[in-house]
Amino acid sequence: MPAPVSTPSLYPLYSPHAILAFQFSAWYPSFVNCTIKSTLIRPLSPLFRQYLDADGVFVPEGAEDAPAESSLSDHGSSDSEDADEADERTRFAFPELDAQIRAAVTEYGAVFPKLNFSSPRDAAWILPASSPLKCMSPADVYLLLKSSDFVQHDLDPTLVFDGCEPPYAPDSPSSPRYDLELVLRKWYPVDRARELRCFVRQEVLIGISQRDPNYYDFWNEPATQHKVVSAVTSFWETKIKGRWEQANGDYVFDFLLTRNLARGHVVDFNPYHPRTDPLLFTYDELHALLLARPPGPELRVVDSPAHPAAARNAPAHQHNMVPIEALAMSSGRDVAAFAGAWQTEIRKSMAEDGDEESGAEVDAP
């Protein structure tokens, strides 16, 4: 009798070695000709990891373009307290890394950074909105990384290897070494309407999702949808399929289409894993597609301004946004100290506004 065919699980199992196939340094050499030009700096020193883990948002000495100073002041003992806190805080300086970042900026014109797996997209608000993630100096790079929640994932091996089988054991000789790395990618303006996320399971391209959750008329034209599915499928079959053994046929790749929607390039790779956002799919729906084995991938787009996924007026990653005054005040403070200082500033500001209003002249009706 033939052996029974087992039903694939909802998610593949990844070993620690397999997870490391998704860090930038592992996949970039194989796909250098079909992705964005990039400079890789690794390994980063333990001191740089310590800097990224340190409380507060501040740039190392010598990195230039330090963040703006707060216009708020206690007019009291806080100046001396801030000076004492600055003296107590470890001073960081990375002249060699600064030089490497400046060299990449000179080569590319501008860069956007990421670590092994994660980019600081949630901190894009901290740089000019007209050029999100555009870094022109080491200070820009450090400020993005320090302001991001996303990159914290890459600093903690327990998060990087979460759910691996066998479990990651840093002291075991059978577990791979994990070194922190900085990636500087050539920056250029990106039309988010042309970004896609593509899902591959058991070396089958099963789903393609619009990545930007806004409604666009062109995405709902049948001819456009057919053209895009053909372009993505052709790219995947000729550039990726069967060329990446380390991923074992289970992966997600982000793809940016050209303006004519006929070609494109890889932006990033991610594990086929719950922490990778399935966007307009659910993983149960993707699993059903895998079992159904359709002749081609299913494309999902935001098909109406009323679509549940359509973006509202709120900006992306708004949970991670704070006023620049709060950013400047945060340096060197823990959460409790920062909260107290911020509340004091709010009360003072309200009192000053009240004084101004009470002394202002009111025009007669």
Side-chain angles (χ1 to χ4, degrees), residues 75-352:
H75 302 294
S77 61
S78 66
D79 291 341
S80 60
E81 291 173 358
D82 290 345
D84 292 341
E85 289 169 354
D87 290 339
E88 292 174 2
R89 187 176 67 209
T90 302
R91 295 183 178 275
F92 296 95
F94 307 103
E96 293 184 6
L97 185 57
D98 292 348
Q100 290 173 293
I101 294 173
R102 291 188 181 104
V105 170
T106 299
E107 180 180 357
Y108 300 139
V111 300
F112 68 95
K114 64 172 290 183
L115 298 184
N116 304 50
F117 302 92
S118 308
S119 67
R121 292 180 66 141
D122 58 322
W125 57 272
I126 206 164
L127 295 179
S130 59
S131 305
L133 300 177
K134 181 180 182 179
C135 295
M136 299 294 295
S137 71
D140 291 344
V141 171
Y142 301 144
L143 195 57
L144 270 178
L145 295 175
K146 282 289 288 179
S147 303
S148 172
D149 288 338
F150 287 1
V151 302
Q152 290 295 313
H153 164 273
D154 295 16
L155 304 182
D156 187 349
T158 61
L159 295 177
V160 170
F161 299 106
D162 181 44
C164 284
E165 187 60 42
Y168 177 72
D171 298 328
S172 171
S174 62
S175 289
R177 176 174 173 171
Y178 178 61
D179 291 318
L180 197 64
E181 61 193 39
L182 175 63
V183 181
L184 303 171
R185 315 206 72 182
K186 181 177 181 178
W187 183 91
Y188 57 92
V190 171
D191 180 2
R192 293 203 62 203
R194 293 186 274 114
E195 286 187 302
L196 300 169
R197 175 158 287 181
C198 310
F199 301 87
V200 178
R201 186 76 200 276
Q202 295 187 337
E203 209 64 277
V204 177
L205 178 61
I206 54 176
I208 303 170
S209 173
Q210 177 184 335
R211 195 168 182 199
D212 179 19
N214 281 295
Y215 171 78
Y216 298 97
D217 286 335
F218 77 91
W219 271 125
N220 292 278
E221 300 167 359
T224 296
Q225 294 187 6
H226 177 77
K227 180 179 182 179
V228 166
V229 170
S230 296
V232 174
T233 302
S234 176
F235 180 94
W236 173 71
E237 290 178 342
T238 58
K239 303 292 187 180
I240 302 177
K241 184 179 180 180
R243 297 170 182 262
W244 194 21
E245 295 180 2
Q246 297 92 328
N248 297 318
D250 299 310
Y251 52 91
V252 177
F253 66 96
D254 292 330
F255 191 71
L256 180 64
L257 291 159
T258 54
R259 288 184 178 87
N260 63 4
L261 308 181
R263 295 176 295 110
H265 61 255
V266 171
V267 176
D268 207 356
F269 285 99
N270 294 284
Y272 192 101
H273 190 279
R275 69 170 175 247
T276 301
D277 191 343
L279 300 178
L280 301 181
F281 291 96
T282 67
Y283 277 106
D284 286 325
E285 291 168 338
L286 289 167
H287 192 246
L289 288 173
L290 173 67
L291 298 181
R293 298 282 175 168
E298 179 176 324
L299 172 66
R300 290 196 178 179
V301 300
V302 177
D303 57 9
S304 163
H307 190 285
R312 307 303 193 269
N313 290 329
H317 315 304
Q318 62 175 339
H319 68 282
N320 201 34
M321 297 183 180
V322 295
I324 188 66
E325 289 86 355
L327 175 63
M329 287 179 62
S330 71
S331 296
R333 290 185 166 97
D334 61 23
V335 174
F338 166 71
W342 184 242
Q343 289 299 324
T344 299
E345 293 297 342
I346 292 174
R347 287 193 294 270
K348 285 184 54 187
S349 178
M350 292 175 65
E352 291 171 358

